[in-house]
Amino acid sequence: MKFTKEHEWLRVEGDLVVVGITEHASEALGDVVFVELPEPETVVAAGDEISVIESVKAASDILAPVDGEIVAVNEKLVDNPGLVNEDPLGAAWFFKMKLDDLSVLDDFMDEDEYKDFIA
Amino acid sequence: MAEELLRLGLHDLHVELGGKMVPFAGYEMAVQYPAGVMKEHLHTRAAAGLFDVSHMGQVILRPKAGMEALCLGFEALMPVDVLGVAAGRQRYGLFTNETGGILDDLMFANRGDHLFVVVNAACKHADVAHMRAHLADVAELEFIQDRALLALQGPLAEAALARIEPAVAAMRFMDVGMFGDLWVSRSGYTGEDGYEISLPMAQAEGFARRLMDMPEVLPIGLGARDSLRLEAGLCLYGHDIDTTTSPVEAGLVWAIQKARKAGGAREGGFPGAAHILKELAEGPSRRRVGLRPDGRAPMREGTALFAGDAPAGQITSGGFGPSVNAPIAMGYVPVAQAKTGTALEGDVRAKRLPVTVADMPFNPTTYKR
């Protein structure tokens, strides 16, 4: 699993990348009450604000971590935003992306580096 | 450079409890404890929540020329019937300015031989200066610095507090009583039954721990305090009311008793009276209303509202209501759009989303009247 400085995790699944937010991020946000997902089949660029997450405290944007195409979104989060707090690294994935070249993931932090980053 | 934050007397206890400390009204305060805002909110509605509100201003006004003169002097600052408050009772009040805006909202109690006043933290120094300037002839003012203020709120607040002071069980909503060092009122700002307790700072930690040792009681942070008061339809000063909003616009007409209205025994005679009495007679041009977004996306403070293409005011408080399990908000809209059920739109992240004018409170209040 790889991690971004925006507290997203990236996991390779076949030729896709699954994206969610880290436990650290979900704890900092507090209870999540609303998730807005990107449209499937849209092409996005790294840094695009493609998703919104609202907690009891505030709204935050989720950025596309890399260039690619959104191929699937987790509709379960729309009905049950609290999943983001319950299982941020598992059931609460946000979207799946198709990338031209998976090697771009090498630039992101691994788990140890992310732990140092948030320490 | 950030302004240096003050610490509450119970600061170390909040940190020990795992409170996430944030700046609020010049103080470092716990926005939440490990349970989190949602659980803290729901726990308060189901059992009892303990809030440290010691940042608020506590003031005693002792009469210099008799209680009647003191009450009449205090009335000259507010569109409120002070003289009619019986000993042992508390009332909601608001200081107005010359243009009919609100300088602060407050609670005051008649404690027989003096008045006890509790004001908002962010306004307390200005309020004290305001009272000193206008009440010099009728009141000796004591700005209390050595007492904590705790609120115990929720359906099991009575059972919990009565274990320490049994007499509180007999109090009704807005009664006040002094039990030794404990100054208790049956009131709060959550829409729940409950109490606010002023006590000497030296006793506050032991008292708070004794309450939190009870299975009913959890510490509650500012986050849940805000969602609880929003569900109860209560105004937050500096957001829903301020110097630019009148009590009539704010829907606080219930706080202006008959004696101070046109034709009343002591009509007018408060700052901004001409404006406020005119607004009472003719109606305001805008009103504070409850708002329910039709979708799941919260609409926060500052969200612009529209009726068709026409601007229709804005949201002054908004978020998620854990007990109603939906986003809720309040804001000011033109009177033409103020009727319950009116369909409006709110501008959320450059999208117009539907929102409907709704009755408040969003969650029924459970005061023990």
Side-chain angles (χ1 to χ4, degrees):
Chain A
M1 203 179 260
K2 292 286 190 174
F3 298 88
T4 73
K5 286 180 177 169
E6 284 74 39
H7 307 286
E8 291 156 299
W9 55 259
L10 313 173
R11 194 179 65 223
V12 176
E13 192 180 274
D15 62 341
L16 302 179
V17 174
V18 188
V19 179
I21 69 164
T22 65
E23 198 162 7
H24 173 78
S26 97
E27 276 169 20
L29 284 169
D31 302 296
V32 173
V33 297
F34 174 76
V35 172
E36 189 177 278
L37 295 165
E39 289 291 325
E41 292 170 31
T42 50
V43 174
V44 299
D48 285 358
E49 295 167 2
I50 57 170
S51 189
V52 174
I53 181 164
E54 296 233 18
S55 75
V56 283
K57 291 181 213 152
S60 320
D61 292 309
I62 297 205
L63 310 181
V66 289
D67 297 347
E69 183 187 354
I70 306 291
V71 293
V73 297
N74 187 359
E75 294 286 350
K76 274 189 197 153
L77 297 185
V78 175
D79 297 328
N80 184 11
L83 263 187
V84 178
N85 300 110
E86 288 161 27
D87 191 8
L89 301 179
W93 60 276
F94 275 67
F95 47 82
K96 298 183 183 183
M97 295 180 71
K98 192 171 187 177
L99 277 55
D100 291 337
D101 178 6
L102 285 174
S103 72
V104 297
L105 299 185
D106 296 343
D107 295 342
F108 293 102
M109 291 178 276
D110 63 21
E111 188 165 356
D112 285 343
E113 287 168 329
Y114 180 67
K115 275 184 182 157
D116 287 344
F117 176 68
I118 59 175
Chain B
M1 181 143 158
E3 197 181 331
E4 195 164 333
L5 294 172
L6 300 169
R7 288 187 167 179
L8 298 173
L10 295 180
H11 179 84
D12 292 350
L13 177 60
H14 296 304
V15 172
E16 179 193 318
L17 292 167
K20 187 175 172 187
M21 308 306 281
V22 300
F24 182 83
Y27 287 83
E28 257 185 87
M29 294 188 64
V31 67
Q32 64 171 70
Y33 298 91
V37 175
M38 194 87 85
K39 284 203 180 80
E40 290 171 26
H41 176 114
L42 295 172
H43 182 89
T44 304
R45 295 254 186 263
L50 182 65
F51 305 72
D52 182 3
V53 290
S54 304
H55 60 310
M56 298 184 81
Q58 304 181 59
V59 175
I60 285 181
L61 298 174
R62 291 192 182 84
K64 272 185 180 169
M67 273 300 274
E68 183 172 330
L70 172 59
C71 290
L72 291 174
F74 205 36
E75 280 196 354
L77 303 180
M78 307 195 289
V80 174
D81 179 359
V82 178
L83 200 56
V85 177
R89 295 287 292 164
Q90 176 176 271
R91 184 166 275 178
Y92 177 79
L94 23 93
F95 291 143
T96 48
N97 65 18
E98 290 303 331
T99 53
I102 301 171
L103 292 171
D104 197 9
D105 65 340
L106 55 102
M107 287 286 187
F108 68 95
N110 178 345
R111 298 204 304 199
D113 58 2
H114 66 273
L115 298 177
F116 178 57
V117 185
V118 178
V119 298
N120 284 305
C123 305
K124 63 185 177 184
H125 296 288
D127 289 341
V128 166
H130 185 61
M131 287 188 276
R132 281 196 205 280
H134 292 94
L135 303 176
D137 294 341
V138 294
E140 198 174 299
L141 184 149
E142 182 189 351
F143 185 13
I144 296 171
Q145 303 293 337
D146 57 355
R147 295 181 74 91
L149 189 65
L150 304 176
L152 185 67
Q153 300 281 294
L156 302 182
E158 178 186 300
L161 189 60
R163 275 185 215 124
I164 296 175
E165 178 48 64
V168 301
M171 297 173 76
R172 289 181 306 118
F173 183 56
M174 296 296 243
D175 278 352
V176 297
M178 300 172 86
F179 308 98
D181 284 328
L182 301 183
W183 300 351
V184 181
S185 64
R186 193 152 196 167
S187 56
Y189 222 59
T190 60
E192 294 296 318
D193 179 28
Y195 302 89
E196 289 166 301
I197 307 126
S198 168
L199 74 172
M201 193 55 83
Q203 298 173 25
E205 184 183 336
F207 183 84
R209 286 188 193 277
R210 209 172 149 193
L211 283 171
M212 287 187 297
D213 280 344
M214 300 179 191
E216 299 92 341
V217 181
L218 268 189
I220 310 295
L222 289 172
R225 182 170 162 80
D226 192 52
S227 55
L228 288 158
R229 70 92 199 164
L230 178 57
E231 279 187 345
L234 298 167
C235 293
L236 179 62
Y237 190 82
H239 300 259
D240 307 304
I241 49 175
D242 59 28
T243 53
T244 69
T245 61
S246 81
V248 184
E249 292 173 329
L252 299 174
V253 173
W254 57 267
I256 307 175
Q257 286 78 22
K258 209 169 125 187
R260 309 303 306 282
K261 291 182 185 169
R266 296 182 309 286
E267 168 184 337
F270 50 85
H275 178 87
I276 290 170
L277 293 180
K278 182 167 180 272
E279 234 178 24
L280 274 171
E282 297 173 6
S285 61
R286 59 174 189 163
R287 287 189 64 86
R288 182 176 63 95
V289 295
L291 294 158
R292 294 193 69 146
D294 297 11
R296 298 292 294 176
M299 294 189 186
R300 310 270 178 185
E301 178 175 2
T303 301
L305 297 169
F306 294 87
D309 289 332
Q314 67 169 7
I315 285 174
T316 52
S317 280
F320 186 80
S323 299
V324 299
N325 190 28
I328 51 173
M330 61 172 85
Y332 286 82
V333 300
V335 280
Q337 273 87 40
K339 209 172 153 226
T340 295
T342 303
L344 300 172
E345 287 181 331
D347 188 42
V348 179
R349 294 179 284 271
K351 269 187 264 180
R352 294 279 174 86
L353 300 179
V355 54
T356 304
V357 175
D359 289 331
M360 292 190 285
F362 299 101
N363 191 68
T365 56
T366 56
Y367 307 130
K368 191 182 167 189
R369 291 189 192 273

